[in-house]
Amino acid sequence: MKVSHNWLKDLVDINITPIELSEKLSIGGFEVESLTDCSLNVKDVVLGKVLSVEKHINSDKLSICSVDIGLSSVLQIICGANNIRPDIYVYVAPIGSYLKAVDLEIKSAEIRGVLSEGMICSLQELGLEQLSKGIAVIEESLASKYKLGHNAADILQLNDFIYDLAITANRPDGMSLIGIAREVSALLETNLSLPNVDYISDINILKTGSFIPEAIDNESIYSVSFIENVDGNFISPKWIKDRLEISDIKSINLIVDITNYILLEQGQPLHAFDREKLSTLIGRDVRASDFGVRNGRDDEKLIGLDGKCYLLNSNVTVITCDDKPVAIAGIIGGLETSVTETTTSICLEAAVFNPSVIRGSSKEIGLRTESSSRYEKGISYKNTLFSVCRSIDLFKRFYKSSKYKVYASRVVNDDNNSVRLRRSRIHKILGPIVLYDPQTNLVEKRLLNDSEIVHKLQLIGCSINNMDGGWDVSVIPNRSQDLIREIDLIEEIARLIRYDMFDQKIPEPVRPGKLTNFQLAARKLKNSLVNSGFNEVLTYSLVQMDKEKDQVKISNPLVSELSCLRDSIWQDHLKICDQNIKSGSKACWIFEIGNIFITHDNDNIQKELISGAICGDKKLSEWNTSGKKNSLDYYQARGKLQQAISSLNVSIQDKLNDKFDHLHPGRSSILIIEGKESGYFGQIHPKLLLGNKLIKNLYLFSIDSDNLLNAAIRKSTWNPIYKNYATVPSIERDVSFVFDKKYLVAEIINFIKKSGKSLLENVNLIDIYNDKTLSNNFINYTFRLIYRDKDKTLQESDISELHNNLIDSIENNFAAKQRI
């Protein structure tokens, strides 16, 4: 919202500089994004008179001019304009001046051998026109009012400042000059000088049968005024043109300019229809009852004032005349019924629509205008007929013989919104103000007294009635959109008093928050997965219903395709891998920490899983594979997962299992954590990759998040235990056994560790052997046993008995046979 300082001064007394006012407005809630000095382009330009003009002896196009600017001596200026002549008044930029519009500093210079002591300016060079054909010639009647050498800013009426205000959604009153003037009056505690308006009491009631309630509700109004004996040929006076142009609104003609002037001054959008064109459109004289508000239809279209054709539908609210669309409500009028130079009578529309309706129409057609921006923020219907009366006053001022008749959908009473304000509530919310006396260096703290509270509310136009414990506050219409609750009034009091005047109420220091061990473990796991080459993904929890599954259903789904909660995640991960490989990626390693939802004993259970997929190999070089794409085998893929999880220091055992239908029956295992089944790892079933020539091997994993992270934060695991390095040597013994393949290596190693007592430090599998000499059900494992005593160097005699007992225990427990 751009506001002229001079226009503002006509409405309110301002006793501070524009810079100081911009600071007060910003502190008060209307942020001033920029403050523009209109006279900056003509700061050093003065009024001059051309005394004589002679042709330049060395140029056919240049002239030597003698120019008087009120100094003791006449200036000699070289000018190349075609319209230069003696005895005319011009704008002169003397030596030392700077023309911002053309980025030119005026200096004394010789032009074709003749000295030039300044520059005679065109309006283009003053930044007032896009293109000028010659220098600017000032009318003698205007120039005679000023002395030669007078600053051009006064002559051009450019001694003004423009405030560019950022108006927030909760302050729609800021979208009008009257609203800003009231704000300035409240901040400066100065008098308002609002325009006098002759209110029209003879208002005819308009039937509302053709108004849809979605657009014209209880807080809305629709009015149309028939105004005759106007003339579309009339051009607006300069003061109206200037005020419109400052707000970036182009002057059209007096009729249209008056509607735009009211838009800026009162904040009420108006639209003028050409009455004769409306009559031609419907084939008879137009009546007030012909106007209506309805939703558009799919087969309708409207050519707007901007010349564009807008396709209408049920999401667009339109203004109709005899059910024919003539405007898009609150946004733009139609070109077919617009005011032109032939207009002699108009139908003046003034309305307040439901903001959500205007917002929807604006979004649908992709257009936002000065009118729609005000409707979207919300304006009071109580100000509409007042704005109509103000516009009619202007029409009567310029069209002396104009006649009018006003119709409205409702009668607007004088009752304003009333809000109960409690004294105790003000004191509780705001607390005391702090007053400092610089002479005595004394600080006084006290609560606001009644006179201060009443005074600040009266400054914003509120009427006050005393009541027990407080006041009954009547709010003026232009603030009725944001002052609706007691706390709103308290905020206004604090804003006008100034927030920095109140005593600080800083809360007591609170203990800083921190992540729990469980959260730290989850973050550590994520980082470890990423560092190991995995990418985190996020998939939707909503899926389509599968009649073969017992899914958790949503009671109010947006669409039927997303009517259930997922009970697994691997399907989405398979799609992601497939899409990435088809897009040219050599590998796709992904993980997700997400929830699944299952039904158990008629209860819906939510479980968090760490799931993912491993597809392809992420080698940096391909020389050792001759450029061929290789896939990881089962053990390499399982090792990548183990590498990522190892940061948690949790032991995970793999147990061969084929209970998962989507996994390869011979290449999948259950993951055991602390003796509990906690997930799975395995190669995807080949049947799910039929027809996919790009993906050879793809591995899926899923781990119960709670089981893994709770195991990670056990005190014995989470808190590292530091041990001294061994200072004595160890003894190593390698033993080989033939085992039945039904026994897992992890199971055997755990048994050996438990049986080895305190001297057995570690057990490692170092070799696997299988050949034709062994039957199909048997396999040879070689283990390395490491013995160490922390206090002394072991002798062979110290471990021989223990070692032999271990061998016997292994043979007896697993029916194994030692190989020598």
Side-chain angles (χ1 to χ4, degrees):
M1 175 73 180
K2 292 186 177 180
V3 177
S4 162
H5 183 78
N6 289 342
W7 191 357
L8 206 54
K9 285 198 298 184
D10 290 344
L11 300 173
V12 61
D13 294 339
I14 300 176
N15 51 19
I16 57 177
T17 66
I19 294 176
E20 292 171 332
L21 180 58
S22 68
E23 293 177 356
K24 281 189 172 292
L25 284 169
S26 295
I27 294 173
F30 286 121
E31 180 186 356
V32 179
E33 295 185 327
S34 65
L35 178 64
T36 304
D37 184 355
C38 297
S39 66
L40 206 57
N41 287 341
V42 296
K43 183 178 180 182
D44 302 316
V45 179
V46 297
L47 174 66
K49 183 179 181 180
V50 179
L51 302 179
S52 64
V53 177
E54 298 177 1
K55 283 294 181 181
H56 197 296
I57 58 175
N58 296 324
S59 174
D60 296 333
K61 295 183 179 180
L62 297 179
S63 301
I64 303 173
C65 307
S66 296
V67 183
D68 185 4
I69 62 169
L71 300 178
S72 57
S73 60
V74 176
L75 301 181
Q76 178 176 278
I77 298 176
I78 306 300
C79 180
N82 293 328
N83 61 336
I84 189 68
R85 62 184 186 274
D87 297 323
I88 60 173
Y89 292 92
V90 292
Y91 297 111
V92 179
I95 293 172
S97 57
Y98 174 71
L99 298 178
K100 184 180 178 183
V102 291
D103 190 22
L104 178 64
E105 183 178 353
I106 306 301
K107 299 178 181 179
S108 177
E110 281 194 8
I111 302 177
R112 299 285 182 95
V114 179
L115 181 67
S116 181
E117 300 175 301
M119 178 177 177
I120 301 174
C121 303
S122 67
L123 293 180
Q124 179 182 351
E125 289 158 343
L126 298 180
L128 302 177
E129 284 185 355
Q130 292 286 342
L131 182 64
S132 297
K133 294 182 179 180
I135 60 171
V137 179
I138 307 170
E139 294 181 6
E140 187 173 352
S141 59
L142 176 61
S144 61
K145 298 178 182 179
Y146 303 93
K147 292 182 179 180
L148 294 177
H150 195 86
N151 191 279
D154 290 333
I155 305 171
L156 292 166
Q157 296 182 359
L158 293 178
N159 279 324
D160 196 3
F161 287 83
I162 307 301
Y163 305 90
D164 192 355
L165 303 176
I167 308 301
T168 55
N170 67 317
R171 291 297 303 273
D173 59 298
M175 298 293 285
S176 69
L177 263 294
I178 297 294
I180 299 298
R182 289 187 181 277
E183 179 70 12
V184 172
S185 174
L187 292 173
L188 304 183
E189 299 189 17
T190 55
N191 296 324
L192 284 168
S193 302
L194 302 182
N196 295 320
V197 176
D198 293 333
Y199 195 81
I200 300 171
S201 58
D202 185 17
I203 296 177
N204 302 278
I205 298 300
L206 187 64
K207 294 181 180 179
T208 59
S210 55
F211 299 154
I212 58 172
E214 294 86 355
I216 307 295
D217 56 16
N218 293 333
E219 295 297 319
S220 304
I221 190 173
Y222 189 88
S223 76
V224 60
S225 303
F226 290 78
I227 304 177
E228 299 178 355
N229 299 331
V230 295
D231 189 346
N233 268 321
F234 272 36
I235 303 300
S236 299
K238 188 176 184 305
W239 63 273
I240 289 184
K241 281 185 177 181
D242 290 345
R243 289 181 175 182
L244 294 180
E245 289 173 1
I246 282 173
S247 299
D248 296 332
I249 296 179
K250 183 181 178 182
S251 174
I252 306 296
N253 56 46
L254 182 56
I255 299 173
V256 176
D257 289 355
I258 286 176
T259 64
N260 288 329
Y261 186 86
I262 297 300
L263 171 79
L264 297 175
E265 182 188 81
Q266 302 291 332
Q268 171 64 57
L270 303 177
H271 182 70
F273 298 99
D274 187 310
R275 185 175 180 181
E276 292 179 0
K277 291 181 179 180
L278 288 174
S279 299
T280 303
L281 178 67
I282 66 176
R284 57 175 172 79
D285 287 341
V286 65
R287 300 187 297 266
S289 57
D290 291 326
F291 287 89
V293 182
R294 64 168 171 82
N295 293 326
R297 301 183 182 121
D298 292 338
D299 58 342
E300 290 179 324
K301 55 187 176 181
L302 178 74
I303 299 177
L305 291 172
D306 55 3
K308 295 181 181 179
C309 182
Y310 295 97
L311 301 178
L312 308 179
N313 56 50
S314 58
N315 295 323
V316 181
T317 305
V318 295
I319 305 298
T320 62
C321 185
D322 196 26
D323 204 40
K324 293 179 174 59
V326 293
I328 298 176
I331 301 176
I332 191 170
L335 185 63
E336 187 178 2
T337 57
S338 63
V339 171
T340 60
E341 64 274 2
T342 61
T343 301
T344 58
S345 62
I346 62 171
C347 297
L348 185 66
E349 174 198 74
V352 171
F353 303 100
N354 186 330
S356 61
V357 169
I358 304 302
R359 196 177 298 115
S361 297
S362 178
K363 183 179 180 181
E364 185 69 24
I365 67 173
L367 178 66
R368 197 164 187 263
T369 61
E370 289 284 345
S371 296
S372 67
S373 64
R374 285 164 172 78
Y375 283 129
E376 288 176 21
K377 284 184 170 65
I379 56 179
S380 174
Y381 72 92
K382 293 184 178 181
N383 194 46
T384 301
L385 294 181
F386 180 87
S387 300
V388 171
C389 296
R390 169 66 171 149
S391 66
I392 290 176
D393 280 355
L394 290 175
F395 278 112
K396 289 192 297 183
R397 175 177 174 181
F398 294 106
Y399 302 106
K400 303 298 183 183
S401 59
S402 62
K403 299 179 181 178
Y404 60 88
K405 195 168 186 179
V406 181
Y407 297 84
S409 62
R410 65 188 296 176
V411 175
V412 179
N413 55 44
D414 295 333
D415 296 337
N416 293 329
N417 294 345
S418 183
V419 180
R420 175 68 187 274
L421 180 61
R422 295 166 292 174
R423 183 183 297 104
S424 59
R425 188 66 176 163
I426 296 173
H427 294 159
K428 182 177 180 181
I429 296 293
L430 301 182
I433 58 174
V434 180
L435 301 176
Y436 173 71
D437 188 344
Q439 295 181 350
T440 61
N441 290 329
L442 295 178
V443 175
E444 176 191 359
K445 292 185 179 181
R446 63 170 178 81
L447 297 173
L448 291 174
N449 56 50
D450 289 1
S451 61
E452 290 172 318
I453 295 170
V454 171
H455 176 62
K456 294 304 179 185
L457 292 175
Q458 288 174 338
L459 285 175
I460 57 174
C462 295
S463 300
I464 312 295
N465 292 321
N466 292 324
M467 299 185 68
D468 291 340
W471 303 269
D472 187 33
V473 182
S474 181
V475 180
I476 58 175
N478 79 323
R479 295 301 303 274
S480 61
Q481 303 297 314
D482 67 301
L483 299 183
I484 56 178
R485 303 170 300 169
E486 182 181 40
I487 192 65
D488 298 328
L489 294 175
I490 296 174
E491 181 184 5
E492 284 297 291
I493 295 169
R495 188 174 66 86
L496 295 174
I497 294 287
R498 288 206 335 258
Y499 293 115
D500 59 335
M501 292 291 292
F502 291 91
D503 192 20
Q504 293 183 351
K505 299 173 74 173
I506 300 175
E508 293 294 328
V510 296
R511 294 180 62 185
K514 65 176 182 178
L515 297 176
T516 63
N517 287 346
F518 189 92
Q519 293 169 323
L520 289 171
R523 182 172 292 186
K524 188 177 184 180
L525 175 61
K526 274 190 179 184
N527 292 336
S528 182
L529 283 163
V530 171
N531 293 336
S532 298
F534 288 82
N535 295 105
E536 186 175 8
V537 297
L538 182 66
T539 57
Y540 290 112
S541 297
L542 301 177
V543 295
Q544 191 172 4
M545 180 184 293
D546 188 344
K547 295 181 180 179
E548 297 181 0
K549 294 183 178 180
D550 187 12
Q551 296 170 297
V552 178
K553 299 178 180 60
I554 299 174
S555 58
N556 57 341
L558 294 176
V559 290
S560 59
E561 290 79 6
L562 301 173
S563 59
C564 296
L565 293 170
R566 65 185 179 189
D567 59 358
S568 61
I569 308 180
W570 66 267
Q571 294 95 333
D572 290 321
H573 291 174
L574 177 59
K575 292 177 183 177
I576 293 172
C577 288
D578 183 55
Q579 182 179 358
N580 277 269
I581 298 301
K582 285 181 178 178
S583 299
S585 298
K586 296 179 181 179
C588 183
W589 299 0
I590 58 175
F591 77 95
E592 177 179 1
I593 299 180
N595 295 313
I596 63 169
F597 307 85
I598 55 178
T599 301
H600 181 70
D601 294 337
N602 295 324
D603 287 335
N604 296 329
I605 300 174
Q606 176 177 316
K607 180 185 290 187
E608 186 178 70
L609 299 179
I610 303 163
S611 301
I614 301 174
C615 177
D617 192 1
K618 289 190 173 183
K619 287 184 177 178
L620 295 177
S621 59
E622 299 178 353
W623 61 267
N624 59 339
T625 60
S626 301
K628 296 179 181 179
K629 295 180 180 179
N630 285 350
S631 298
L632 300 178
D633 61 27
Y634 178 92
Y635 299 103
Q636 288 174 322
R638 178 66 180 88
K640 289 296 179 184
L641 177 62
Q642 184 60 38
Q643 175 187 341
I645 298 178
S646 62
S647 63
L648 297 182
N649 199 26
V650 174
S651 174
I652 301 179
Q653 298 178 9
D654 293 50
K655 185 176 182 181
L656 187 65
N657 198 289
D658 59 358
K659 74 174 186 177
F660 301 102
D661 294 336
H662 63 287
L663 297 180
H664 194 298
R667 299 177 186 173
S668 60
S669 60
I670 294 175
L671 303 181
I672 309 296
I673 299 176
E674 294 185 333
K676 294 182 287 187
E677 183 178 322
S678 302
Y680 63 78
F681 176 88
Q683 184 176 335
I684 195 167
H685 201 290
K687 67 182 180 182
L688 297 175
L689 296 179
L690 291 176
N692 194 323
K693 297 181 181 180
L694 297 177
I695 298 180
K696 294 182 179 180
N697 296 330
L698 188 146
Y699 303 93
L700 300 173
F701 62 88
S702 179
I703 305 174
D704 187 300
S705 176
D706 286 344
N707 287 357
L708 176 62
L709 298 179
N710 283 327
I713 61 174
R714 303 275 185 230
K715 185 176 291 187
S716 58
T717 306
W718 187 251
N719 298 322
I721 299 174
Y722 296 94
K723 297 180 180 179
N724 293 326
Y725 281 105
T727 58
V728 294
S730 62
I731 296 179
E732 296 180 355
R733 293 289 182 268
D734 295 344
V735 290
S736 296
F737 294 91
V738 176
F739 292 93
D740 193 311
K741 288 183 178 180
K742 68 179 182 180
Y743 296 113
L744 299 178
V745 172
E747 185 180 353
I748 299 170
I749 290 177
N750 285 337
F751 176 80
I752 296 174
K753 286 181 177 180
K754 290 179 181 178
S755 304
K757 299 182 181 178
S758 60
L759 291 181
L760 183 63
E761 185 179 77
N762 202 1
V763 180
N764 294 316
L765 175 69
I766 61 172
D767 187 49
I768 300 175
Y769 177 73
N770 191 10
D771 66 1
K772 297 179 180 178
T773 60
L774 302 175
S775 63
N776 292 333
N777 295 329
F778 291 89
I779 190 170
N780 184 91
Y781 295 136
T782 300
F783 298 96
R784 177 163 292 163
L785 282 60
I786 301 173
Y787 297 96
R788 192 194 308 267
D789 189 321
K790 63 180 181 178
D791 297 324
K792 68 175 184 176
T793 300
L794 291 173
Q795 303 295 324
E796 180 66 28
S797 58
D798 296 326
I799 65 166
S800 59
E801 183 180 357
L802 174 61
H803 186 69
N804 292 330
N805 290 338
L806 269 177
I807 294 174
D808 294 339
S809 298
I810 294 170
E811 290 179 333
N812 294 332
N813 193 71
F814 296 100
K817 183 178 179 182
Q818 184 181 12
R819 296 188 68 181
I820 307 298

